[in-house]
Amino acid sequence: MAFPTERPRRLRRTETLRRMVRETTLSTDDLIWPMFVKSKGKDEAIDAMPGVFRYNPSRAAEEASKAFAAGIPAVILFGIPDSKDALGSASWEEDGVIQQAVRKIKKAVPEMIVMADVCLCEYTDHGHCGVIKDGEVDNDATLDLLARQAVSFVKAGADVVAPSDMMDGRVGFIRDELDNSGFTDRAIMAYSVKYASSFYGPFREAAGSAPEFGDRKGYQMDPANEREAFREVELDLEEGADIIMVKPALAFLDVISSVRQITDLPIAAFNVSGEYSMVKAAANAGMIDERQIVMEILTGIKRAGADLILTYHARDVAGWLEGRR
Ligand code: PBG
Ligand code: ZN
């Protein structure tokens, strides 16, 4: 049967009808809010990311509490340490910025899920995600440091650790070390499919984590590749990942969609800094309707197959979803 019998417009006639046949819905339950934490001082605005701030641990706990009250179940923390060295040792200190923030957030809102990004680039003086040997990022020597960091975050109370370094074997290595330390109950959200993307530019300004030399193409994935994503996902599944992440989101919706076909685990997608900044710049220039654009983008990421979305828009979205009811 076809036109004139078939008329798809019949189900688009009123908002209530559209609501009834809607296939994808965005909920605050899907959101993970990324936060930048520094050791002390006033909130610091990040020029490249309007509306995003670096908070000290106490302020981070206040803002996380407000986010939880607004319906956002989880935050993911990125640390800006006071000092950096070749190994990133500030990241596993008992009183490091993340450790302090985790303790304060868990105390303020125990039910909130606190995730901690595990990587060295924010803590190393050279800005790479691993240890440098002979001018290269050494995979195997990095694993031990990542695990030290992960165990330290979890000891402070983190519910989930999220390795973003892209070293081979790190998920299994971190899983073993968590288990050996008695933390069999804490989850790993693996940045399994992480591309070497220019969309991370604003984040590197926010976190002060740009590499001093070279780039990350020797460990992060080539944006041209999709089959390689399957290989990365399969390895992380074998190594014990609990949540699989694809990052960035917008230029990689096809990858989210095909990863959906090969795993039953929850999939998270990272709506990264550059994606956020582009929307903010266009909105602040009066070129687009920010609210409509953000809802369309996040709904698209869910429709592609993501269960969870890490997004700097989380607080705004929670407000809009609340207002809609
Ligand atoms: C650390 C890390 C990065 C992001 C998340 N974890 C930056 C990078 O790999 O250079 C990017 C997040 C964003 O752009 O919002 N490795
Ligand atoms: Zn890194």
Side-chain angles (χ1 to χ4, degrees):
M1 252 187 289
F3 181 82
T5 320
E6 284 288 332
R7 288 180 182 269
R9 284 186 55 185
R10 286 184 199 119
L11 294 181
R12 298 181 200 138
R13 193 169 50 86
T14 80
E15 175 51 25
T16 308
L17 266 174
R18 291 192 291 273
R19 210 173 93 202
M20 292 167 69
V21 298
R22 189 158 291 144
E23 299 173 29
T24 310
T25 42
L26 188 67
S27 149
T28 50
D29 295 341
D30 311 326
L31 305 176
I32 300 170
W33 185 37
M35 298 182 84
F36 296 101
V37 187
K38 56 169 185 165
S39 72
K40 52 184 175 299
K42 290 204 203 89
D43 299 359
E44 275 166 27
I46 295 154
D47 291 341
M49 301 179 73
V52 178
F53 298 85
R54 301 186 195 94
Y55 299 116
N56 68 38
S58 304
R59 286 282 302 124
E62 280 173 24
E63 292 300 323
S65 304
K66 285 190 225 160
F68 190 75
I72 297 169
V75 287
I76 180 164
L77 306 180
F78 297 94
I80 295 127
D82 285 331
S83 64
K84 305 189 184 211
D85 62 19
L87 298 181
S89 62
S91 65
W92 54 81
E93 279 165 11
E94 206 186 315
D95 241 3
V97 284
I98 295 294
Q99 288 81 351
Q100 292 184 43
V102 170
R103 285 194 291 266
K104 291 214 150 103
I105 297 171
K106 288 305 285 188
K107 189 160 175 230
V109 250
E111 315 94 290
M112 188 167 217
I113 293 304
V114 178
M115 304 182 160
D117 187 84
V118 170
C119 201
L120 296 185
C121 57
E122 294 127 70
Y123 308 92
T124 49
D125 47 19
H126 47 74
H128 274 289
C129 304
V131 184
I132 307 293
K133 271 201 188 138
D134 304 323
E136 300 273 349
V137 174
D138 187 288
N139 192 88
D140 299 13
T142 301
L143 299 181
D144 188 50
L145 307 184
L146 294 169
R148 241 189 260 187
Q149 197 184 108
V151 169
S152 175
F153 293 162
V154 157
K155 273 191 183 147
D159 299 286
V160 179
V161 287
S164 67
D165 52 281
M166 288 304 275
M167 298 303 122
D168 293 329
R170 91 274 209 216
V171 171
F173 199 95
I174 290 171
R175 183 71 270 160
D176 281 348
E177 292 299 304
L178 290 179
D179 291 353
N180 293 339
S181 311
F183 296 109
T184 53
D185 61 344
R186 305 307 163 85
I188 297 177
M189 176 167 74
Y191 285 72
S192 304
V193 183
K194 178 174 178 180
Y195 289 96
S197 169
S198 300
F199 283 98
Y200 310 150
F203 173 97
R204 291 180 191 169
E205 182 199 314
S209 65
E212 289 287 314
F213 63 91
D215 53 39
R216 305 210 201 288
K217 292 179 184 164
Y219 40 104
Q220 299 179 347
M221 285 173 54
D222 182 339
N225 294 354
E226 183 179 41
R227 294 192 303 268
E228 190 185 358
F230 299 149
R231 184 151 180 245
E232 285 285 3
V233 170
E234 277 156 17
L235 289 168
D236 284 356
L237 294 174
E238 279 167 31
E239 291 177 34
D242 299 286
I243 300 174
I244 297 293
M245 195 201 297
V246 176
K247 174 188 173 197
L250 288 187
F252 302 90
L253 293 176
D254 58 326
V255 178
I256 296 173
S257 166
S258 47
V259 166
R260 176 74 291 163
Q261 309 303 314
I262 63 161
T263 179
D264 294 329
L265 290 190
I267 293 176
F270 203 142
N271 175 219
V272 298
S273 57
E275 299 172 344
Y276 173 86
S277 298
M278 290 194 307
V279 169
K280 282 290 181 181
N284 290 341
M287 292 173 175
I288 56 169
D289 178 329
E290 180 176 0
R291 173 175 174 167
Q292 302 297 336
I293 291 271
V294 169
M295 293 303 281
E296 189 172 325
I297 285 175
L298 299 187
T299 302
I301 295 171
K302 266 204 92 177
R303 193 192 60 242
D307 303 288
L308 300 166
I309 305 174
L310 295 85
T311 180
Y312 302 95
H313 297 292
R315 299 275 301 268
D316 289 336
V317 172
W320 297 330
L321 288 174
E322 177 68 25
R324 196 178 63 184
R325 264 183 268 131

